[in-house]
Amino acid sequence: MKVSFIVTTYNLSEMQLRRCLSSLTHQELPRDEYEIVVVDDESDIDPRPVVESFSSVANVHYIRQQHHKQGAARNKALCIAQGDTIRFVDGDDFLLAGTT
């Protein structure tokens, strides 16, 4: 079973987004059992460098869309998510280890 973590972001600090993505990579799941889909809702702060820094430890996909708010961002991510299970995570949230 594969899990798709869908992360929406809009003008988050690098620290917040890094904390969120780090928490997803520490869920005790093998790399081939999850993916992270990050949707940037046209932030003024470019999250791409942070997202790309996780590509060596996780299957990460980055999408940038025009500013249409969180619902549209989640719907866009659902179009490419390949997981059997979908988990929505806001970019300023984090998961405790083992909570998938």
Side-chain angles (χ1 to χ4, degrees):
M1 182 161 85
K2 187 172 186 176
V3 177
S4 292
F5 293 105
I6 294 177
V7 179
T8 55
T9 181
Y10 178 71
N11 286 338
L12 292 178
S13 71
E14 178 180 322
M15 182 189 74
Q16 288 174 305
L17 185 56
R18 187 171 300 284
R19 181 178 177 189
C20 174
L21 298 179
S22 180
S23 78
L24 300 180
T25 63
H26 289 91
Q27 288 302 305
E28 302 169 7
L29 292 170
R31 183 177 177 154
D32 62 339
E33 290 186 17
Y34 74 98
E35 67 180 346
I36 301 171
V37 181
V38 178
V39 183
D40 171 23
D41 197 30
E42 203 173 31
S43 297
D44 297 323
I45 303 168
D46 186 6
R48 195 170 319 159
V50 174
V51 174
E52 290 174 353
S53 73
F54 283 86
S55 64
S56 64
V57 295
N59 297 317
V60 181
H61 310 282
Y62 173 79
I63 302 170
R64 181 174 170 88
Q65 71 169 20
Q66 289 184 336
H67 186 62
H68 291 298
K69 304 214 179 187
Q70 187 178 51
R74 287 178 172 175
N75 287 337
K76 185 165 281 233
L78 286 171
C79 292
I80 69 160
Q82 297 179 9
D84 303 303
T85 302
I86 304 295
R87 183 105 191 239
F88 294 110
V89 182
D90 293 337
D92 59 351
D93 291 339
F94 64 96
L95 301 181
L96 299 175
T99 60
T100 53

